[in-house]
């Protein structure tokens, strides 16, 4: 199974418009971060987690072939704003979207034209499937277990796929969720910045503590803001088994 980081940035991306900090003006490609999303491929199966407003740009350089499922974490624009750009991939047939009830209902308000009884030609052919935490689903040969975390006061989804656990936008988590993390070897989790604390996102210290509790062999941070620092400099001060992910990075799971 291969994971590709399509984007590793926070809601405003990096560089941040109008900012002249050392990260936003860096010429290192590792410091350019589109909105957070990953693609997972196993054999002929292709899954995307979150489809934000940078989705079109993220897919332009990749092989054009069927997307078997889009797993959504939550309704915020930086995670669903690119769903309309699934249009070209509908050439291969209807695309299944998996989301919790809050997200599914939200999409029907934000993209009503996709769900009208009489759709106009060219709209994305998407099918929303409402899923619940801990109720596994199968896409191709992959078993996917949704887990629940809290984004401030909003319950959102993370995903356990084999040895991989993908979580973004988490602030807190119920202790009961950890029973679904046994055997996780690769953890991808959000780490917004070092400080100050944020009301709905983990800091680096929070994310390191969470990684230690999960006990994964390796951890990659995502959904990062410009104030997490330069990629090369920050990676030097993180524990050896914890690194900043970067856009375009590939992992074998």
């Amino acid at each position: 199974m291969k994971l590709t980081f399509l984007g590793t940035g926070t809601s405003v991306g990096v560089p941040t418009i109008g900012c002249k900090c050392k990260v936003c003006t860096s010429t290192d490609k590792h410091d350019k971060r589109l909105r957070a999303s990953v693609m997972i491929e196993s054999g002929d199966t292709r899954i995307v987690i979150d489809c934000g407003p940078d989705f079109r740009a993220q897919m332009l350089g990749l092989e054009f072939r069927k997307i078997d499922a889009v797993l959504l974490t939550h309704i915020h624009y930086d995670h669903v704003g690119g769903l309309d750009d699934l249009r070209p991939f509908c050439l291969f047939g209807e695309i299944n979207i998996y989301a919790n009830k809050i997200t599914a209902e939200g999409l029907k308000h934000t993209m009503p034209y996709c769900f009208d009884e009489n759709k106009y030609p060219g709209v994305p052919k998407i099918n929303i499937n409402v899923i619940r935490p801990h109720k596994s689903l199968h896409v191709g040969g992959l078993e996917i277990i949704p887990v629940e975390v809290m984004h401030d006061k909003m319950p959102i989804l993370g995903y356990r796929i084999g040895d991989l656990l993908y979580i973004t936008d988490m602030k807190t988590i119920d202790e009961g969720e950890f029973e679904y993390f046994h055997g996780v070897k690769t953890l991808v989790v959000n780490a917004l910045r070092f400080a100050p604390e944020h009301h709905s996102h983990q800091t680096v210290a929070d994310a390191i503590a969470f990684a230690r509790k999960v006990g994964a062999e390796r951890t990659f941070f995502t959904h990062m803001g410009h104030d997490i620092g330069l990629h090369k400099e920050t990676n030097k001060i993180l524990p050896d088994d914890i690194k900043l992910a970067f856009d375009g990075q590939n992992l074998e799971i």
Side-chain angles (χ1 to χ4, degrees):
M1 185 169 75
K2 183 176 81 169
L3 180 149
T4 301
F5 286 97
L6 301 179
T8 58
T10 188
S11 58
V12 294
V14 182
T16 300
I17 294 174
C19 182
K20 302 299 181 182
C21 76
K22 64 180 181 179
V23 176
C24 289
T25 56
S26 170
T27 58
D28 184 348
K29 67 178 183 179
H30 298 90
D31 294 315
K32 311 297 183 185
R33 301 187 182 280
L34 300 176
R35 266 62 76 91
S37 175
V38 295
M39 183 168 64
I40 295 165
E41 298 169 289
S42 179
D44 294 331
T45 301
R46 192 183 225 187
I47 295 171
V48 171
I49 302 181
D50 284 337
C51 188
D54 297 320
F55 178 73
R56 177 181 176 276
Q58 290 165 338
M59 296 303 292
L60 279 173
L62 301 178
E63 181 185 2
F64 179 58
R65 63 182 181 88
K66 182 180 179 182
I67 294 174
D68 296 282
V70 176
L71 310 177
L72 298 178
T73 59
H74 62 297
I75 190 59
H76 287 169
Y77 181 77
D78 55 315
H79 296 266
V80 303
L83 286 172
D84 191 82
D85 288 321
L86 288 170
R87 293 185 191 207
F89 295 93
C90 295
L91 173 70
F92 303 104
E94 189 176 57
I95 298 175
N96 280 309
I97 308 291
Y98 296 89
N100 63 13
K101 185 178 180 181
I102 294 172
T103 304
E105 291 178 348
L107 289 177
K108 292 177 181 178
H109 288 287
T110 58
M111 303 178 67
Y113 59 94
C114 291
F115 307 101
D116 287 342
E117 186 173 339
N118 298 309
K119 302 179 183 68
Y120 69 82
V123 302
K125 300 173 184 175
I126 59 178
N127 177 44
I128 294 186
N129 300 272
V130 176
I131 57 176
R132 293 185 295 163
H134 318 142
K135 302 294 183 182
S136 64
L137 58 130
H138 291 82
V139 177
L142 297 175
E143 181 183 15
I144 302 161
I145 303 174
V147 297
E148 187 171 82
V149 304
M150 297 302 294
H151 183 29
D152 193 12
K153 297 179 181 179
M154 176 189 289
I156 69 173
L157 296 179
Y159 294 97
R160 168 81 186 263
I161 306 175
D163 295 336
L164 168 71
L165 176 61
Y166 182 90
I167 291 175
T168 188
D169 287 51
M170 177 174 71
K171 177 59 178 180
T172 58
I173 184 171
D174 186 88
E175 285 292 323
E177 296 298 315
F178 284 89
E179 70 175 276
Y180 299 95
F181 303 162
H182 297 306
V184 166
K185 294 181 180 178
T186 301
L187 170 65
V188 178
V189 69
N190 59 297
L192 183 65
R193 60 197 183 202
F194 280 92
E197 286 287 323
H198 192 274
H199 70 97
S200 63
H201 290 275
Q202 293 189 132
T203 63
V204 170
D206 295 330
I208 291 175
F210 177 73
R212 292 292 175 250
K213 192 164 184 177
V214 171
E217 294 178 359
R218 55 181 181 168
T219 296
F220 296 89
F221 289 162
T222 191
H223 208 284
M224 296 170 283
H226 60 166
D227 36 10
I228 202 165
L230 294 168
H231 177 89
K232 289 182 179 178
E233 291 183 1
T234 300
N235 267 344
K236 290 178 182 178
I237 63 174
L238 290 174
D240 290 342
D241 59 327
I242 299 177
K243 297 300 174 190
L244 307 187
F246 59 88
D247 291 19
Q249 183 177 9
N250 294 312
L251 302 178
E252 289 296 328
I253 308 294

